[in-house]
């Protein structure tokens, strides 16, 4: 008697489907979208913060921590640090349809700081990588550059203004095909 | 020099260096006093000190840089001495003088030495006098863009703009053509003013593709100076060191002898007292030039300790007590190889942008040849106000290949979740042929580092394991939500069953 | 000797030594295979290995001692070699022979050497032949109490009963008068049978108040032998080492030279291959006698590594590969002082009775001169079936006083909650005048240790802080129960308020 | 407005009373039975597993973990490890009255193991420290001795028997005045 559940895992835009089957007798089998089902020997360790997996004798120790975001998961495997989003299939579907209709973007502060200079104005065209503003944080002056080539729609900050993580500083529209 | 009693020391710093200094002082039977800004009440250095006092609000200018409050606190709690660590007031001659005037030992060199070495121009003059080679450049501070352009033209591009009062890699900018001077000068002066309270900037020839070599020295203030060999600190981002090693893979025994002698000459020229570091720039054709002298303990001092078998905090205290140098030059030998990895809260994939947040997991590596100097613990909130250095991983090996392999092993073992950090960068660096060959220069990161390499596909094995783990995590989380159990407690049944299956008893 | 390929090694052990061996092999680019009993599925050595296989149920006799299963596992996964660690099959000549027959490299000496040294009687004969001093005693195994009484009378009381196949301090008993012989012989034979599968016991003169000195050696199996100086391991309970240091505070340079030469002679007499330790007993009048040779890596090997700047696991692998000795005798120097503290799950106040349980907290100390070789992690359940060694804390200092002070500092920093453990014992030991003077002997614990001293009243400061903390804990717990919050999250309000109060802003 | 709560803390038989007062404005004052009230600056750290206390500038870092027993608390302060029991006043009172009526005792296994020999029989007089039995656990033979001088009432184990932690092995009555 197997109980199955399916999840969609998003790693920086790449999506995978995983099916976890648990048997009444305790066995676990995992099926990834590009492979057949696989018995795994899985133990939670370090007070549930890491998973020790054995697949055909090979050991994998994966540290896992929930991030603040919905479904967000930070994982470390063999010194590689990855950010994942775990979703059910419905949400994954919904997300894909939203992404395809959005052609613009926002530039938000990644860290709290103070805006010390602005190099662009609304309406201006910028190339990907162009300097837009300088944000002082942790005693460093950080140049914030355009993430894509396109047009500046709106500047939402002023020189001297303090911003918090996530505050939108610039809104822009990407050039079609840019 | 007469001996001075030091039985209680106020450590005027925070983070890993305050912890390391407290550990060292405690081992000498000295009582330790921490100071902290308001948000640092729960910082590790406060937790581990014998006593701790709050000195002001978050901004360093209102707390860790308040010399008057520090001295008043030291007097009030009966501390004999102040250890300044690095950064903050460690190279502030005025503060050293105030300590002296208040009858408190400043654990560092004499104020005149700090003054002389703290100003790049006066240091240059002194080196020229003492026959230590210096880089061609302006002899006076420059504030006017036009003057700057003229000076740069004389020296020849590329040139380097440097804050006269700077240090630790802050307040420096390379300028490759006249058009860039205006902006660069304004930004450098701005940073200089913000960081050091002095906007004087000077200009010198920029040495292309150099190596950064520095020499640790100790002086007794009565003319005796010894060196503890070199460190190479050429892996830098934004002119700030990220990985350091000792010995340097770039020095022949003859060059080592020459550069260490020049460092001793530098320290002797000011009758140096205490621990200091003479920094040199080494050109591609193995010419070396005096860069600056740091009149304090250095972030990267542990690699010297591991290679020479010394304790620099202990040496500092002994010298401050007037007990003289703890070693003779003849006793000192380099043994094996040490590498330090600075663990910063920053995102290497986003131009090393600083990160903040709560430390969710911190399991530092251990075992043979591994030292960790940490300023954090699980549950600590990394504040935004200060340097983003979380910890230092230092590894020692019998030789350079072992030190590299050990560094890789220890970095892979290092568990750190919460703010973004640069452990992936270190692992990347250790795989670069230039690093392995030891031929890297200070341009290593700018030239070689491509954040896209972090997005390299995982090996199939690892990818499958990761996806399996994520799916099991989600299954556990939903089960926990459904049953009200804490996630950590549910999966024991899986473990038992999996075990039964492996032994074929089910 | 021709070179042998070793690219994948099965580590036939568990706990901290398996972890340390895996770390060392990984640093050499060797693939590592762990094996484990059923309850050890979540043991640290299994988590950190590249591969892991289950070899049987909990009892060691059915898992870690199953040579046939180990060899079959090594063959099945393609391992070239087996590293036995210490204990278990590390000194089992039969197992070494089976490895050889199966074409698997046994990382250790030749089976003949293990046979010869593993039997105390044949080892004695060999030493007598080679001119290495031995303790007077029986030349054959004794099983009959009457024969034992007669032999003891000839040797002279007190005598020591020792399991011929013993090691690691197990299976030994002192007998001071004829009336005790019956019981002591029965118990020793029982333990010998249970631990080593062989109840042969022999009797020798018991040296009163001795010191335990041992010398680390490396041999290439082709006649070359070097020593890595001595370790002193006189702090013992139940004849098992608890604290070790290197150098020994008891040796003059002349005595060091004599004892290290005797160790080299011992190893040369059997054309030793690999890493081994020659143990000596040092009497009060500085006579030394051969005790036994341990033909494997020793628990306390890290103090030698720290003082000599070497890596013994790396040396073992190189020798096993037929690459010869990695050091010459001339290169080796003792630098500074190292002390190892074995962290056991045991209750020092209850006659060092073993303890078990879940590791609730484990924050190992770090910083300058501190190494921790650990076999545990937070959340691990210490099983009952094996040796209660959890971890080893090793400290290095420029000199012995600094090493002691550093040990004290690191032990105070060590957070370990869950099963009872002996950190309080170590702190007690470091304060004893005999330990500080370095004049302690193997009777140190029996003579000096009084568990009542653990109940000494706390200093008033600490007691008040403790009671206050306990009361706040209880207040938080009840608040958490009332509000349904997890205890860890509730007290932030207190923190904020306390902070506000300190700055006088409320 | 102060809210007060009183607790009794038992450290190996020694009992202390502590009164914790929390003010509406967040202040905390603690009064121990032998002193006046004291303002404390207290912060939970290490994810709530340790308490950082400041009293007159002096810092104390106390690790605290609940043990399995009711009110049981393991604490570490400056390298000293202590086992405490936290009770309310009623329970402390009840415990004291029980203790004063019990004149005997039980010897329980501190660790799981196997009894390999017995040196005493029911009815026998023993002195404190006399060997009573040998328990093999973790490959060591552990001699279990009499905790007090008195008489053996009952032996509850046999040679070869496995015991678990807490299993009573011997019951005895202490000698009056012994």
């Amino acid at each position: 008697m197997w109980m199955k559940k399916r999840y969609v895992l998003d790693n920086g835009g790449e999506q995978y489907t995983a099916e976890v089957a648990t048997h009444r007798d305790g066995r676990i089998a995992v099926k990834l979208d590009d492979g057949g089902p696989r018995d795994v020997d899985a133990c939670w360790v370090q007070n549930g913060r890491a998973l020790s997996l054995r697949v055909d004798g090979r050991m994998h120790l994966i540290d896992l921590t929930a991030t603040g975001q919905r479904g967000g998961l930070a994982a470390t495997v063999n010194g590689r640090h990855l950010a994942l989003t775990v979703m059910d299939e419905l949400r994954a579907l919904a997300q894909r349809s939203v992404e395809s209709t959005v052609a613009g973007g926002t530039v938000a502060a990644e860290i709290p700081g103070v805006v010390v200079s602005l190099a662009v104005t609304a309406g201006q065209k910028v190339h990907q990588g162009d300097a837009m503003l300088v944000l002082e944080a942790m005693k460093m002056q950080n140049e914030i550059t355009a993430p894509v080539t396109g047009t500046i729609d709106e500047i939402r900050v002023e020189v001297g203004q303090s911003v918090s993580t996530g505050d939108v500083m610039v809104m822009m529209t990407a050039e079609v095909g840019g | 020099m007469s001996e001075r009693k030091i039985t209680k020391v106020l450590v005027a710093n925070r983070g890993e260096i305050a912890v390391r200094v407290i550990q060292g002082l405690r081992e000498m039977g000295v009582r330790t006093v921490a100071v902290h800004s308001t948000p640092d009440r729960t910082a590790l250095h406060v937790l581990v000190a014998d006593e701790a006092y709050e000195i002001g609000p978050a901004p360093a200018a209102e707390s860790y840089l308040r010399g008057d409050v520090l001295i008043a606190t030291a007097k009030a709690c009966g501390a004999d001495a102040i250890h300044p660590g690095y950064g903050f007031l460690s190279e502030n001659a005025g503060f050293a003088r105030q300590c002296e005037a208040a009858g408190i030992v400043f654990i560092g060199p004499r104020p005149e030495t700090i003054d002389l070495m703290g100003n790049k121009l006066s240091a240059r003059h002194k080196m020229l006098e003492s026959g230590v080679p210096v880089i061609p450049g302006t002899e006076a501070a420059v504030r006017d863009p036009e003057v700057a352009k003229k000076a740069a033209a004389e020296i020849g591009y590329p040139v380097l703009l440097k804050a006269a009062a700077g240090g630790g890699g802050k307040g420096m900018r390379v300028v490759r053509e006249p058009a860039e001077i205006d902006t660069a000068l304004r930004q450098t002066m701005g940073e200089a003013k913000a960081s050091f309270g002095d906007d004087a900037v000077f200009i010198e020839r920029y040495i292309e593709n150099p190596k950064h070599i520095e020499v640790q020295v100790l002086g007794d203030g009565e003319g005796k100076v010894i060196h503890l060999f070199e460190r190479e600190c050429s892996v830098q981002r934004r002119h700030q060191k990220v990985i350091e090693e000792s010995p340097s893979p770039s020095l022949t025994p003859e060059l080592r002898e020459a550069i260490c002698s020049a460092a001793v000459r530098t320290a002797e020229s000011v009758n140096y007292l205490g621990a200091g570091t003479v920094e040199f720039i080494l050109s591609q054709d193995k010419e070396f030039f005096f860069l600056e002298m740091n009149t304090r303990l250095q972030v990267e001092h542990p690699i010297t300790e591991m290679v020479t078998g010394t304790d620099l905090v202990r040496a500092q205290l002994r010298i401050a007590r007037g007990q003289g140098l703890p070693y003779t030059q003849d006793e000192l030998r380099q043994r094996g190889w040490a590498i330090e990895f600075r663990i910063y809260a920053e995102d290497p994939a986003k131009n090393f942008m600083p990160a903040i947040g709560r430390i969710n997991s911190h399991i530092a590596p251990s075992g043979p040849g591994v030292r960790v100097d940490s300023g954090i613990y699980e549950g600590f909130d990394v504040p935004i106000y200060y340097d983003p250095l979380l910890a230092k991983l230092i590894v020692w090996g019998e030789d350079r290949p072992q030190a590299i392999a050990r560094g890789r092993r220890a970095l892979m073992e290092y568990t750190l979740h919460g703010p973004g950090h640069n452990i992936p960068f270190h692992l990347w660096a250790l795989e670069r042929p230039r690093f392995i060959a030891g031929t890297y220069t200070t341009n290593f990161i700018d030239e070689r580092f491509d954040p896209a390499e972090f997005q390299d596909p995982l090996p199939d094995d690892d990818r499958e394991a990761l996806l399996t783990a994520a799916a099991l995590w989600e299954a556990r989380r939903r089960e926990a939500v459904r049953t009200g159990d804490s996630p950590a407690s549910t999966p024991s049944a899986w473990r038992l069953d999996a075990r039964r299956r492996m032994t074929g008893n089910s």
Side-chain angles (χ1 to χ4, degrees), chain A, chain B:
Chain A
M1 242 290 291
W2 292 89
M3 270 283 296
K4 289 183 190 176
K5 286 177 192 164
R6 287 165 72 87
Y7 305 107
V8 174
L9 308 162
D10 182 300
N11 176 20
E14 246 178 309
Q15 293 196 340
Y16 307 90
T17 306
E19 187 180 276
V20 178
T22 42
H23 195 271
R24 191 177 276 192
D25 71 4
R27 270 181 295 164
I28 310 166
V30 176
K31 190 169 167 305
L32 299 177
D33 46 9
D34 48 1
R38 210 150 188 180
D39 265 16
V40 290
D41 168 27
C43 294
W44 290 101
V45 294
Q46 293 174 0
N47 288 327
R49 299 193 299 184
L51 188 74
S52 171
L53 271 189
R54 169 160 42 196
V55 183
D56 300 333
R58 286 191 164 61
M59 302 303 296
H60 304 272
L61 186 61
I62 300 129
D63 288 306
L64 295 159
T65 322
T67 62
Q69 279 124 8
R70 181 179 166 205
L73 193 54
T76 311
V77 58
N78 277 344
R80 285 282 293 266
H81 296 253
L82 294 109
L84 296 174
T85 310
V86 190
M87 298 175 267
D88 50 32
E89 287 179 297
L90 199 66
R91 187 176 152 209
L93 204 67
Q95 195 189 50
R96 270 195 294 272
S97 72
V98 169
E99 272 168 6
S100 62
T101 62
V102 172
T106 59
V107 178
E110 306 253 352
I111 187 169
V114 174
V115 176
V116 294
S117 72
L118 280 168
V120 290
T121 53
Q124 186 179 331
K125 294 226 150 134
V126 289
H127 282 90
Q128 188 184 345
D130 282 358
M132 300 201 299
L133 55 89
V134 175
L135 186 68
E136 185 169 309
M138 286 177 132
K139 292 165 67 189
M140 300 295 294
Q141 300 211 344
N142 304 288
E143 197 174 62
I144 309 300
T145 57
V148 290
T149 296
T151 310
I152 305 288
D153 295 321
E154 190 183 346
I155 311 283
R156 297 211 174 167
V157 290
E158 293 173 5
V159 171
Q161 181 178 334
S162 293
V163 293
S164 302
T165 305
D167 283 0
V168 174
M169 300 188 292
V170 177
M171 299 201 65
M172 60 181 295
T173 305
E175 192 175 283
V176 177
Chain B
M1 186 181 238
S2 61
E3 294 208 10
R4 290 184 292 188
K5 181 178 77 88
I6 300 182
T7 59
K8 187 171 182 176
V9 175
L10 184 149
V11 181
N13 217 299
R14 67 180 302 283
E16 64 83 22
I17 192 62
V19 173
R20 189 264 175 268
V21 169
I22 287 169
Q23 288 172 328
L25 295 172
R26 175 163 296 149
E27 288 167 5
M28 298 185 77
V30 171
R31 202 165 163 86
T32 57
V33 181
V35 292
H36 65 91
S37 65
T38 311
D40 268 350
R41 166 63 181 90
T42 53
L44 187 57
H45 74 287
V46 176
L47 306 191
V48 300
D50 294 315
E51 298 176 28
Y53 301 95
E54 183 163 327
I55 49 166
E62 298 171 48
S63 50
Y64 298 104
L65 291 170
R66 281 289 297 273
D68 53 341
V69 176
L70 290 166
I71 290 171
T73 305
K75 295 295 277 184
C77 74
D80 316 299
I82 291 181
H83 192 299
Y86 54 69
F88 294 133
L89 294 171
S90 62
E91 293 178 290
N92 184 312
F95 178 64
R97 274 193 193 94
Q98 285 156 25
C99 286
E100 214 168 69
I104 287 168
V105 176
F106 174 80
I107 300 180
R110 281 181 289 260
E112 313 86 83
T113 308
I114 303 176
D115 265 339
L116 192 150
M117 289 298 180
N119 183 297
K120 299 215 174 15
L121 299 176
S122 60
R124 272 177 71 85
H125 295 147
K126 191 72 180 178
M127 291 310 105
L128 285 168
E129 247 178 67
S130 313
V132 175
V134 298
I135 304 171
T138 57
E139 301 292 314
V142 176
R143 283 188 181 82
D144 176 356
E146 292 315 309
V147 175
K149 273 178 208 162
K150 194 155 159 269
E154 272 168 26
I155 294 166
Y157 285 90
V159 295
L160 189 67
L161 305 192
K162 291 172 72 171
K170 278 179 186 144
M172 297 207 292
R173 259 182 187 72
V174 181
V175 179
R176 298 194 173 269
E177 45 182 297
E180 297 170 4
I181 285 246
D182 273 8
T183 313
L185 185 65
R186 200 175 58 243
Q187 287 183 347
T188 309
M189 285 172 66
E191 274 185 32
K193 183 77 183 170
S195 296
F196 316 111
D198 173 5
D199 68 359
V201 162
F202 75 117
I203 305 179
E204 64 180 30
R205 177 153 184 74
Y206 179 62
I207 310 284
E208 292 275 11
N209 261 323
K211 281 178 163 269
H212 176 112
I213 311 283
E214 60 185 32
V215 178
Q216 177 71 51
V217 296
L218 291 175
D220 69 354
E222 304 198 322
K224 251 187 285 180
V225 172
I226 56 173
H227 70 82
L228 286 85
F229 303 96
E230 84 283 5
R231 298 183 283 258
E232 171 154 358
C233 316
S234 304
V235 179
Q236 306 184 352
R237 54 132 184 75
R238 304 168 186 257
H239 300 289
Q240 194 156 17
K241 299 160 191 168
V242 185
I243 302 177
E244 303 97 345
E245 61 180 311
S246 180
S248 160
S250 316
L251 300 189
T252 58
E254 296 70 34
L255 194 51
R256 174 170 297 118
E257 177 56 31
I259 207 162
C260 291
S261 299
V264 168
R265 218 149 61 232
T266 300
E268 280 172 347
S269 76
V270 293
N271 190 8
Y272 198 77
L273 173 73
T277 294
V278 187
E279 296 191 334
F280 296 95
I281 208 164
L282 182 70
S283 73
Q284 284 293 309
D285 46 1
K286 305 276 180 185
E287 260 193 299
F288 64 87
F289 304 98
F290 172 82
L291 195 62
E292 63 181 21
M293 179 163 190
N294 293 322
T295 55
R296 50 160 168 90
L297 200 62
Q298 207 86 332
V299 178
E300 58 272 23
H301 75 276
I303 55 176
T304 296
E305 294 182 327
M306 290 187 95
V307 165
T308 59
T310 56
D311 182 335
L312 290 170
V313 169
R314 192 190 203 198
Q316 285 187 302
L317 189 71
R318 286 189 174 187
I319 294 168
R321 279 177 169 167
Q323 297 170 331
L325 299 180
Y327 322 106
T328 63
Q329 190 65 62
D330 280 354
E331 286 170 350
L332 295 167
R333 295 271 180 287
Q334 290 176 302
R335 186 162 86 181
W337 212 281
I339 308 178
E340 174 179 278
F341 304 91
R342 299 192 188 188
I343 313 296
Y344 282 111
E346 65 182 17
D347 188 345
K350 289 184 182 148
N351 198 24
F352 301 97
M353 171 97 79
I356 55 168
R358 171 164 290 209
I359 305 291
N360 292 319
S361 286
H362 186 238
I363 308 176
S366 61
V370 173
R371 165 175 170 183
V372 176
D373 281 18
S374 157
I376 58 167
Y377 58 86
E378 285 185 7
F380 178 62
D381 287 301
V382 179
I384 186 189
Y385 311 99
Y386 316 106
D387 191 86
L389 182 63
L390 301 178
K392 303 182 308 202
L393 166 65
I394 307 106
V395 295
W396 178 93
E398 292 182 13
D399 49 32
R400 193 168 185 270
Q402 192 189 25
I404 292 175
R406 191 162 272 175
R408 207 177 131 70
R409 187 267 292 176
L411 288 163
M412 302 261 282
E413 278 180 17
Y414 209 127
T415 300
L416 180 54
H417 278 286
H421 57 75
N422 63 343
I423 289 175
F425 166 79
H426 290 307
L427 284 164
W428 171 88
L430 288 188
E431 283 179 2
R432 300 282 78 68
R434 281 237 175 156
F435 187 86
I436 293 166
T439 55
Y440 63 96
T441 69
T442 56
N443 301 323
F444 174 70
I445 294 181
D446 290 345
E447 279 179 8
R448 302 276 147 186
F449 179 59
D450 178 4
E453 296 185 84
F454 286 173
Q455 264 81 59
D456 276 0
L458 282 170
D460 277 358
D461 253 31
D462 284 345
R463 191 176 57 86
E464 283 178 25
L466 178 74
L467 295 173
T468 301
L472 292 176
W473 165 280
E474 183 66 9
R476 181 181 68 164
R477 192 184 65 76
R478 294 189 183 198
E479 187 65 14
V481 169
R482 203 175 56 75
T483 63
D485 273 348
S486 94
S489 64
T490 42
S492 53
W494 292 4
R495 180 160 75 83
L496 288 168
D497 287 316
R499 190 204 306 163
R500 203 182 312 136
R501 185 175 51 72
M502 288 303 293
T503 49
N505 296 337
S506 65

